Amino acid sequence: GKAALAASPTQDVVDWYETQNGLYTKDDNSYDPQNPYINRDPRFYNNILYNGVHWPNGLTGDTLELYYEDVAGGLTAKDRCYDRNALPQSITGYLTRKFWPEGISHGQVAGQVDCIVPAVWFRVSEAYLNYAEAAYEASGRSNIDAQFPASATYTAKSAINKIRNRVGMPDVNAMYLNNPDFIEKIRNERAVEFCFEDGHRWWDIRRWYIAHEEDVRTVHIMMLKGTNDLANHPTGFIFSVEQYETVKVFEDRHYLYPLNHDFVAIHDEFDQNPGW
């Protein structure tokens, strides 16, 4: 449907993807925030569409224009959200590539093709990542080489590296192997590997009890403004990250759904879930 083709990943999602050096962009001295889409985790290119990327979608052009202002100051980007009747469109500076077959468009006669995208309920990657998290948590977040049972082929760390190596990423960098901080690396690997799949992220942040935290609820977008200063801005755009005007609402009570009030009223001992 239209909503699926117009899905706009946030800058927060893009920041999950390390550089090819195996470092978060904030930790990699070679990362250039004015040329941010080079030398990233290969899964970034599989999952995210960004300004200037070649993407034949059956429309009038095959290059996505996801800036908000061109070099002349005009709002002319054909794929940014200025004409809500046109698709694709973005409100964050990004579009979702995963599950969008190349060459498929929607809402346009030219290039409109029916397609089937298989629904994957469980991937081998999930078995590895579920094991890594369970083994590390079982160790009390104290042993990145935890194995359960002791005869297991993989440790928490090696299971994560198995997934990373599969796509050409290096092993988890030594700076992220600290206890108990390694849990954040496990969680980030899940976010990257399962990006846009089957609601994984939604259920993960709930079970980790972080959905209410401010940094999880705050949304950032990428703003791109055209420039002729190619010495400092090699893509021809000035990149600036800005907070979106909306902060998602998720309160402590939202971890549990409200019970039917008629059921709660049957017995005094039948309490409503907290906050409802």
Side-chain angles (χ1 to χ4, degrees):
K2 290 188 176 182
L5 292 189
S8 302
T10 66
Q11 182 62 44
D12 311 273
V13 169
V14 170
D15 288 342
W16 293 339
Y17 295 87
E18 299 173 354
T19 67
Q20 288 182 0
N21 295 326
L23 298 169
Y24 294 125
T25 56
K26 64 182 177 63
D27 298 326
D28 192 336
N29 292 332
S30 70
Y31 171 73
D32 181 0
Q34 294 305 312
N35 195 7
Y37 309 134
I38 61 172
N39 302 323
R40 301 293 288 269
D41 184 321
R43 290 170 290 187
F44 169 77
Y45 305 103
N46 184 70
N47 296 346
I48 308 291
L49 292 169
Y50 51 92
N51 185 62
V53 72
H54 175 72
W55 186 248
N57 57 20
L59 303 181
T60 56
D62 61 4
T63 298
L64 287 179
E65 297 177 357
L66 294 170
Y67 52 85
Y68 78 99
E69 187 175 316
D70 63 18
V71 70
L75 303 176
T76 60
K78 65 182 177 65
D79 301 315
R80 202 67 188 258
C81 193
Y82 304 120
D83 179 2
R84 292 187 178 274
N85 295 314
L87 287 169
Q89 59 181 225
S90 170
I91 60 174
T92 64
Y94 302 103
L95 287 167
T96 299
R97 177 171 180 169
K98 201 172 194 177
F99 303 126
W100 183 1
E102 187 169 345
I104 301 298
S105 66
H106 184 89
Q108 302 278 340
V109 174
Q112 187 171 352
V113 180
D114 290 332
C115 66
I116 296 175
V117 179
V120 179
W121 293 105
F122 194 93
R123 296 200 286 116
V124 172
S125 294
E126 185 173 353
Y128 282 95
L129 294 176
N130 285 357
Y131 169 80
E133 182 179 347
Y136 189 60
E137 291 284 15
S139 78
R141 301 186 186 179
S142 63
N143 182 12
I144 60 176
D145 293 312
Q147 294 171 266
F148 290 94
S151 59
T153 303
Y154 289 92
T155 67
K157 180 178 68 175
S158 67
I160 294 291
N161 288 334
K162 179 77 171 181
I163 300 305
R164 294 171 61 85
N165 298 161
R166 154 186 154 270
V167 298
M169 286 294 286
D171 289 352
V172 176
N173 190 280
M175 71 183 301
Y176 307 128
L177 296 179
N178 303 302
N179 293 316
D181 298 336
F182 185 61
I183 194 63
E184 298 304 324
K185 174 50 61 180
I186 293 175
R187 292 177 176 182
N188 193 82
E189 201 66 34
R190 288 183 66 89
V192 169
E193 182 67 20
F194 302 140
C195 194
F196 312 133
E197 291 185 27
D198 303 325
H200 273 286
R201 181 66 178 173
W202 169 245
W203 295 110
D204 279 349
I205 63 175
R206 287 168 62 95
R207 68 185 179 84
W208 294 332
Y209 195 63
I210 63 172
H212 65 289
E213 295 180 358
E214 186 174 357
D215 63 333
V216 175
R217 295 186 294 109
T218 304
V219 175
H220 296 88
I221 64 177
M222 178 63 81
M223 303 297 283
L224 296 89
K225 180 179 180 180
T227 178
N228 290 318
D229 180 11
L230 299 182
N232 295 307
H233 307 281
T235 71
F237 290 91
I238 301 170
F239 290 80
S240 59
V241 177
E242 298 183 8
Q243 181 177 324
Y244 191 55
E245 61 264 26
T246 302
V247 175
K248 293 177 287 186
V249 175
F250 194 100
E251 301 171 3
D252 203 64
R253 67 175 183 166
H254 293 135
Y255 286 102
L256 298 174
Y257 290 111
L259 302 172
N260 186 302
H261 288 285
D262 291 339
F263 296 162
V264 174
I266 294 176
H267 295 289
D268 291 339
E269 296 83 1
F270 200 119
D271 294 330
Q272 179 58 273
N273 278 331
W276 297 100

